[in-house]
Amino acid sequence: MWSLRNETAYASGRIWGRDKDGVHEWIVVVKGTFDILPDGTLVRAEEQVEPLLLAEPHGEEGKSSLRYEADLVGPKPTTDILLNGTAHAPGGRPASEFMVSLRVADIHKQIKVVGPRTWKSGLFSNGPSAAEPVAQVPITYERAYGGFDQSNPDPTQQRLDTRNPVGCGLLTNPGLPVPNFEYPNRRMEQAGPAGFGPLASYWSPRREWQGTYDDAWKKGRFPLLPADWDPRSLQCSPADQRPASHLRGGEPVELVNLTPNGRLSFVLPRLYFSFRTLIDKRVEERNGQLATVIIEPDHPRVILVWQSVLAVRNEVDYLDETIITEKEYRGSLATDA
């Protein structure tokens, strides 16, 4: 009962969940890891990364940004496009500032990288010092705008940037660091944290999309999700890294100044998977949707997660197993509704 038969060359996992109205969801994923060769060719990696049940932070949980979000989650409205990596100055020559960019299909995002700076005292106000030249900078939210100002002992007077509690720049005391990453031609405090990695579930705007847990919810819906819960809370990528609809595979990718060579181009794998579930003497078949794309040029590799979610009403105990097979691409293939 509830078993998984994976007949593919990729990693897989499954879990039970519930939708907004309490209906059981049988969640099954395939996670494929691919090495990126110098010419941009992708080959299946010898070591396949396993699906994550829980998020994985860069450092101490709750006090650092995420490296990976969990894979075994409910259905995402679209594909999360993520990148974990390092900014490299053009030609390997240290520079005080330069641009990096990520392009996947119609998504194109640029971030300005600025060398190390600190806040300094001025006659009328504080300001950033001159930027030092830098050859490479790890891209993490700890180096982007945000932070938690606990300098006042009165908690009601403390400040927290819920968009990025682990960032810098909120405090402008002399000697403190200025963010290394900015959105070009925008004020840092208005634009918010500039980065390519996943946002934690308790950061804005994900936290607001999780709904309202008030007395009305306790009296009317507990233990179900709130009526104003939004499935976008499942998306962990920044808003400007989400396509209008799920990616299908075969989309071009271009990275600029995210590798020592300056430019890297490749095409996402075009793979399709069938999820056949045996339940109560019948077969339910779903085709996987591409839920997550994680680009890691430092390895270099790309990780893709395909997801199938089956609503199960009053038949949980009758679900036997799901069989995963890779399907041949024929030019057009419907995905889950």
Side-chain angles (χ1 to χ4, degrees):
M1 185 172 68
W2 305 346
S3 64
L4 195 60
R5 190 198 312 172
N6 182 10
E7 297 182 353
T8 77
Y10 307 98
S12 63
R14 83 284 198 198
I15 195 174
W16 281 105
R18 287 182 183 262
D19 70 7
K20 183 176 179 178
D21 296 315
V23 176
H24 284 92
E25 293 179 323
W26 177 239
I27 301 167
V28 183
V29 302
V30 169
K31 189 170 185 176
T33 305
F34 303 86
D35 292 328
I36 308 172
L37 302 184
D39 64 355
T41 301
L42 266 61
V43 296
R44 182 172 60 84
E46 182 175 340
E47 181 179 352
Q48 292 292 303
V49 178
E50 293 293 326
L52 290 176
L53 179 60
L54 300 174
E56 182 179 304
H58 279 104
E60 185 178 352
E61 186 174 358
K63 295 184 178 181
S64 64
S65 60
L66 293 187
R67 182 169 181 81
Y68 303 112
E69 180 55 287
D71 301 308
L72 290 160
V73 299
K76 296 182 180 182
T78 187
T79 305
D80 276 323
I81 300 172
L82 303 163
L83 183 143
N84 294 318
T86 303
H88 294 264
R93 296 182 294 272
S96 58
E97 66 176 58
F98 56 94
M99 301 292 291
V100 298
S101 70
L102 164 68
R103 187 188 296 272
V104 181
D106 295 333
I107 298 294
H108 183 216
K109 179 172 179 176
Q110 291 183 308
I111 290 178
K112 181 170 75 172
V113 182
V114 185
R117 297 173 291 173
T118 58
W119 294 105
K120 63 179 184 179
S121 297
L123 183 60
F124 300 104
S125 64
N126 293 343
S129 65
E132 300 176 13
V134 64
Q136 59 184 49
V137 187
I139 304 175
T140 67
Y141 288 112
E142 281 79 356
R143 296 171 178 262
Y145 183 83
F148 186 11
D149 178 7
Q150 304 178 72
S151 57
N152 194 312
D154 181 357
T156 65
Q157 300 301 312
Q158 296 176 358
R159 295 184 300 156
L160 173 69
D161 191 326
T162 59
R163 299 169 299 179
N164 178 20
V166 302
C168 59
L170 184 67
L171 275 170
T172 58
N173 297 344
L176 292 180
V178 180
N180 292 114
F181 305 110
E182 307 175 13
Y183 285 105
N185 304 315
R186 297 175 65 185
R187 291 172 58 87
M188 286 188 293
E189 61 270 24
Q190 293 177 347
F196 297 116
L199 308 176
S201 61
Y202 54 91
W203 293 12
S204 293
R206 291 185 68 186
R207 63 193 296 266
E208 288 80 11
W209 289 333
Q210 292 175 21
T212 306
Y213 295 83
D214 55 10
D215 288 339
W217 166 74
K218 290 180 182 179
K219 295 176 182 178
R221 287 189 61 84
F222 176 84
L224 302 179
L225 291 168
D228 59 348
W229 178 85
D230 192 309
R232 286 179 292 179
S233 64
L234 299 171
Q235 304 275 179
C236 64
S237 59
D240 52 7
Q241 292 173 214
R242 301 176 204 154
S245 58
H246 286 87
L247 300 181
R248 304 270 295 164
E251 293 84 3
V253 177
E254 182 185 62
L255 312 180
V256 176
N257 292 334
L258 291 165
T259 64
N261 292 333
R263 188 178 298 270
L264 175 63
S265 298
F266 59 91
V267 175
L268 292 180
R270 190 191 294 269
L271 300 174
Y272 300 97
F273 299 94
S274 169
F275 298 78
R276 297 178 67 248
T277 300
L278 309 180
I279 180 171
D280 197 19
K281 299 181 181 180
R282 71 178 189 280
V283 176
E284 294 277 358
E285 184 169 3
R286 295 288 188 275
N287 297 313
Q289 286 190 321
L290 187 49
T292 311
V293 173
I294 306 170
I295 302 165
E296 298 190 309
D298 290 353
H299 280 275
R301 69 183 182 185
V302 61
I303 302 170
L304 285 77
V305 179
W306 292 266
Q307 178 187 65
S308 170
V309 179
L310 175 65
V312 180
R313 297 178 181 270
N314 305 317
E315 298 177 310
V316 171
D317 292 336
Y318 297 95
L319 193 148
D320 186 14
E321 72 172 344
T322 292
I323 305 166
I324 309 173
T325 56
E326 186 175 344
K327 301 184 71 170
E328 181 181 355
Y329 174 65
R330 298 182 182 275
S332 177
L333 185 66
T335 56
D336 290 347

